Amino acid sequence: MAEDIANSGTLPDSVDTRLPPKDAPLLRIDAVEKRFGGFVAVDELSLEIRTGEFFALLGPSGCGKTTLLRMLAGFESPDRGRILLNGQDIAAVLPHQRPVNMMFQNYALFPHLSVAGNIAFGLKRAGLPGAEIADRVAEMVALVKLEGLEKRRPDQLSGGQQQRVALARALARRPQLLLLDEPLAALDKKLRESTQLELMALQRRLGTTFVIVTHDQEEAMTMADRIGVMESGRLEQVATPRQLYEAPVSRWVAEFVGDINIFEGTVEARDGGRLTIATRDAGAIVAAAPRQPGETTRICVAIRPEKVRLSRRGPVADAVEIGAINRLEGVVTDVSYLGGLTGYTVKLDDGALVRASMANIARLDIDSYAAGQRVVAWFSPDDCVVLER
Amino acid sequence: MSARRIFTRPARIAVLAPYLWMALFFLVPFGFVVKISLSQTAIAQPPYLPVFDLAAGWSAIKAAFVALSLDNFRLLVSDNLYVLSCLRSVIVASVSTAILLAIGYPIAYGMARLPKSWQPLAMMLVIVPFWTSFLIRIYAWINILQHDGLLNKILLALHVVAAPVVWLSTDTAMFVGIVYSYLPFMILPLYATLAKLQPSLLEAAADLGASPRRAFWLVTFPLSLPGVGAGVLLCFIPIVGEFVIPDLLAGSDSIMIGQTLWLEFFTNRDWPVASALAVVLLALLLLPLLIYERLQRRQLEGAQ
């Protein structure tokens, strides 16, 4: 259902190109529930993941994403519901018998084994002949670019190298499904960004289905084909990164993913595809009506900062008259220069604070505003998202 | 420069303290023992010759040095009594240590697997018997194991045996006493290493296809080897020199080196032979210590 709303025609068609062709799901999670004492960690959650997909479970800590991942690995068993892998219920399959491998958050490398020993661990358990194990280890070492370090122990490696060993070890058995629990959390920012790209390239090359758990939305958006946003054990929305950002289904998702301005108000008029909303502290705002209009009139309008434009005089009055543009006047209170972008905070005459971010497309300081300056903040009704309050 | 300032003068003196302690209370007394072991028995006070007479000056000390001999060590090798008691000590210590490991490992493993809030209680239960005097606990065992003791009463009542079994003054009784007394020394170091083991390592092993049993032998056990080494040494070394337990619980037909030592010192008043025996015992115990120390150092080097 969440996807239907997100698929409304307001988005460009190119959104779906990253999705693999629709075929039978590799993994089907069917109304799975898990409780710890009285705490509901995963609450009747259903989800399908396709073969070859890079899927991210995104959510704040404690939302149940790791518990869900651990159920997939077999370290926790669901209290209710089914987990189907290739159509077969794997509830009764013990962790060591699942065609699923996991990369642990702290890597969980065996400290008494060398790099090669760690990678070979799973292959030996699979009973492969020695020559084949040696070949596969060499292949994996090359895959994660650790040549020459085969004989090192984990504590003789840097954090980034350990991360690679953990990845190679998890991939060595050629699992149908690779689970990654916050795989990049321990790396510093630069290394994390380059590793994200490497992980994506690797996933495409191998065609293995990846399910990654992360609390870092940028990481999820960068890498994943689809993202499932979790909160309190439930999936709030399952969508492509673009849908998630541009068409969040709830106020919670809108606020969790990226930065957003939210104005609460009530619907004053409906005119075809346009809603006129009387907001509490930003005057009247015209917004594109959602495909499936809700019953409630108490709603909120959300607009991303980069879709709010600032100017000294504002767009022509005609456009405002016919509701083609929203025009809010106020005073700049805060300017933060971030290099590629400059963020502004504008205090509207009606009281609300609006954040706007503008790309610094020219090197010279021709299009910036100073604190205290009167400006017009304007944006298109099509860029607004109407959400239930 | 800043690194040097960390080690202030008091800190540098503190580093010397353990060496000073060792020199004063181990090396110097051991020097006496070595010296006595090289002397001859005499009916005198003290009961050996020669004695350094510091007052007689340098030449007397030189003469005393010349009079030293290895006769006592030759005696130790030539007389079966000493060789056998040495051998018995090593065998008893090995068997006891093996039993201790077999019993202590599962207990330590279970303790490390308890919920965190229960672990201090389990630790207390292991340590609490130590609040009672060691001798009293051994005498309690005599009480339990004797002819009309608790064990025989229970066995008779349960009709497991028809007549009382002789427990006391057997090797079985001695092993029971040794294992009972030394168990905490085996459990505590094992528990310390097992409690440190990351649970995620076992999950990783399971994830990579190892059954719980294989995961134990491939991950848990190798990673607990430092604890096994410490526990084995902590038990093996004092058991080799154990005197009280075999004296009170075992029969008198074969004796351990600690008992031989006691006999030589107090019954025979042959201080030189007893000292020689003490030196041999120390050399014997130094061997496993050196091996352990070497293994540990290699492990440390491997880690760097």
Side-chain angles (χ1 to χ4, degrees):
Chain A
M1 193 193 75
E3 260 183 284
D4 292 341
I5 300 172
N7 275 325
S8 59
T10 51
L11 290 170
D13 290 333
S14 63
V15 165
D16 279 321
T17 53
R18 290 181 74 191
L19 280 179
K22 284 209 173 194
D23 42 18
L26 174 73
L27 184 73
R28 235 183 87 197
I29 298 165
D30 191 10
V32 159
E33 187 176 302
K34 178 74 189 174
R35 289 166 181 273
F36 293 110
F39 175 70
V40 184
V42 175
D43 190 0
E44 285 210 27
L45 185 143
S46 296
L47 176 67
E48 287 188 355
I49 293 172
R50 291 166 214 143
T51 306
E53 196 171 17
F54 199 136
F55 191 92
L57 282 167
L58 174 67
S61 54
C63 71
K65 55 190 193 301
T66 298
T67 306
L68 182 61
L69 198 75
R70 290 173 58 81
M71 283 196 279
L72 299 183
F75 301 136
E76 311 280 356
S77 49
D79 295 332
R80 232 180 289 163
R82 295 185 306 162
I83 297 173
L84 303 172
L85 188 70
N86 284 325
Q88 281 183 319
D89 195 339
I90 55 168
V93 183
L94 292 169
H96 66 274
Q97 290 157 339
R98 294 192 181 193
V100 169
N101 282 119
M102 175 144 159
M103 190 185 149
F104 291 79
Q105 182 173 6
N106 63 2
Y107 310 141
L109 297 176
F110 302 123
H112 57 301
L113 299 179
S114 65
V115 168
N118 266 281
I119 296 172
F121 189 94
L123 301 171
K124 285 184 184 158
R125 304 292 84 71
L128 292 182
E132 200 174 322
I133 291 177
D135 286 351
R136 191 82 73 85
V137 168
E139 181 192 330
M140 286 297 143
V141 165
L143 191 72
V144 296
K145 307 190 187 78
L146 281 174
E147 291 99 333
L149 300 178
E150 293 91 337
K151 290 203 167 63
R152 294 263 187 103
R153 297 278 186 85
D155 51 10
Q156 296 169 299
L157 300 174
S158 71
Q161 289 166 339
Q162 290 181 15
Q163 193 262 358
R164 284 154 187 276
V165 178
L167 181 66
R169 188 181 70 175
L171 281 170
R173 279 163 68 98
R174 304 214 167 114
Q176 294 182 24
L177 181 64
L178 183 72
L179 309 170
L180 303 102
D181 185 9
E182 303 268 8
L184 310 176
L187 305 182
D188 61 68
K189 193 167 184 292
K190 272 262 185 293
L191 190 57
R192 192 162 59 224
E193 280 164 7
S194 62
T195 312
Q196 282 170 7
L197 298 177
E198 279 178 41
L199 259 183
M200 287 167 69
L202 199 70
Q203 192 262 346
R204 263 184 218 147
R205 183 137 54 99
L206 299 173
T208 311
T209 310
F210 277 32
V211 176
I212 182 174
V213 152
T214 178
H215 66 273
D216 181 343
Q217 45 143 322
E218 243 174 83
E219 188 170 295
M221 305 262 276
T222 307
M223 294 196 286
D225 297 317
R226 284 194 307 152
I227 299 171
V229 183
M230 275 187 83
E231 161 65 358
S232 308
R234 291 170 169 277
L235 273 175
E236 285 275 323
Q237 185 171 6
V238 179
T240 63
R242 179 161 199 142
Q243 286 168 337
L244 204 62
Y245 188 77
E246 306 293 6
V249 293
S250 70
R251 179 170 179 173
W252 191 88
V253 173
E255 287 187 301
F256 183 70
V257 180
D259 209 0
I260 201 157
N261 295 296
I262 290 194
F263 309 104
E264 295 179 353
T266 48
V267 176
E268 199 137 85
R270 280 172 208 269
D271 172 26
R274 290 282 188 269
L275 293 180
T276 306
I277 296 132
T279 62
R280 202 156 44 77
D281 51 6
I285 291 178
V286 180
R291 261 286 166 83
Q292 290 153 328
E295 299 290 307
T296 52
T297 52
R298 289 162 54 80
I299 50 152
C300 55
V301 186
I303 177 100
R304 299 277 179 199
E306 73 278 3
K307 295 179 174 79
V308 177
R309 263 152 286 180
L310 300 183
S311 59
R312 288 183 179 78
R313 270 184 296 279
V316 279
D318 291 357
V320 179
E321 283 304 313
I322 59 165
I325 215 96
N326 289 297
R327 186 179 194 277
L328 309 171
E329 285 186 40
V331 178
V332 174
T333 60
D334 234 334
V335 180
S336 44
Y337 177 78
L338 302 169
L341 298 171
T342 303
Y344 297 96
T345 307
V346 177
K347 176 136 176 93
L348 300 182
D349 297 341
D350 288 320
L353 288 176
V354 175
R355 273 161 300 145
S357 67
M358 309 240 278
N360 294 321
I361 49 173
R363 196 165 70 85
L364 300 175
D365 191 16
I366 50 167
D367 198 27
S368 68
Y369 305 90
Q373 196 173 345
R374 268 203 85 75
V375 290
V376 174
W378 53 279
F379 49 89
S380 156
D382 288 332
D383 288 336
C384 295
V385 181
V386 175
L387 300 164
E388 290 184 10
R389 223 189 272 177
Chain B
M1 277 290 106
S2 63
R4 191 178 259 188
R5 223 171 292 138
I6 294 169
F7 295 102
T8 53
R9 187 179 292 263
R12 262 177 275 161
I13 292 171
V15 169
L16 285 179
Y19 292 101
L20 213 69
W21 179 274
M22 281 290 280
L24 216 61
F25 296 108
F26 175 72
L27 273 183
V28 171
F30 185 67
F32 286 134
V33 173
V34 172
K35 195 247 147 204
I36 296 172
S37 75
L38 298 171
S39 306
Q40 300 296 331
T41 322
I43 301 171
Q45 193 59 256
Y48 58 87
L49 283 170
V51 181
F52 287 124
D53 185 5
L54 294 175
W58 183 236
S59 58
I61 295 175
K62 238 168 36 183
F65 254 108
V66 174
L68 293 178
S69 80
L70 287 168
D71 283 353
N72 297 312
F73 290 93
R74 270 181 220 118
L75 176 72
L76 290 188
V77 187
S78 60
D79 191 333
N80 256 349
L81 172 76
Y82 305 110
V83 178
L84 284 180
S85 72
C86 251
L87 207 64
R88 176 167 158 87
S89 288
V90 170
I91 291 170
V92 166
S94 307
V95 172
S96 310
T97 306
I99 299 172
L100 279 162
L101 188 62
I103 298 176
Y105 201 105
I107 295 177
Y109 186 81
M111 278 170 67
R113 286 254 164 151
L114 279 176
K116 274 274 178 291
S117 53
W118 285 80
Q119 291 188 8
L121 181 73
M123 185 105 108
M124 277 291 285
L125 289 176
V126 171
I127 298 171
V128 153
F130 273 59
W131 292 1
T132 314
S133 151
F134 166 70
L135 266 181
I136 290 178
R137 281 180 286 133
I138 295 304
Y139 276 107
W141 272 111
I142 295 180
N143 237 302
I144 293 169
L145 297 175
Q146 66 197 1
H147 189 73
D148 56 350
L150 190 65
L151 182 62
N152 272 337
K153 278 183 188 159
I154 291 174
L155 289 180
L156 287 170
L158 291 174
H159 299 288
V160 179
V161 293
V165 182
V166 178
W167 297 108
L168 207 57
S169 301
T170 63
D171 279 3
T172 313
M174 178 189 63
F175 281 121
V176 166
I178 289 176
V179 168
Y180 167 79
S181 303
Y182 283 91
L183 197 55
F185 295 104
M186 183 57 90
I187 290 179
L188 293 180
L190 279 173
Y191 166 74
T193 50
L194 286 169
K196 272 191 300 184
L197 195 77
Q198 285 181 31
S200 63
L201 290 179
L202 291 180
E203 286 183 351
D207 188 66
L208 294 165
S211 63
R213 181 176 302 205
R214 303 213 69 175
F216 173 82
W217 287 113
L218 292 167
V219 178
T220 309
F221 188 71
L223 289 176
S224 69
L225 279 178
V228 172
V232 164
L233 278 187
L234 233 48
C235 292
F236 183 83
I237 292 175
I239 294 173
V240 168
E242 184 55 60
F243 164 71
V244 176
I245 301 174
D247 215 49
L248 292 179
L249 295 178
S252 49
D253 41 337
S254 62
I255 57 176
M256 287 174 63
I257 195 167
Q259 293 164 284
T260 314
L261 221 141
W262 195 89
L263 277 177
E264 292 297 349
F265 248 112
F266 296 104
T267 311
N268 289 357
R269 264 182 83 75
D270 192 342
W271 287 21
V273 167
S275 300
L277 208 54
V279 171
V280 169
L281 183 62
L282 185 87
L284 214 67
L285 295 181
L286 225 48
L287 197 72
L289 255 180
L290 285 176
I291 293 172
Y292 180 71
E293 146 77 31
R294 205 168 167 156
L295 282 176
Q296 264 204 331
R297 188 176 303 165
R298 194 179 304 163
Q299 218 167 26
L300 267 177
E301 277 162 5
Q304 271 157 14

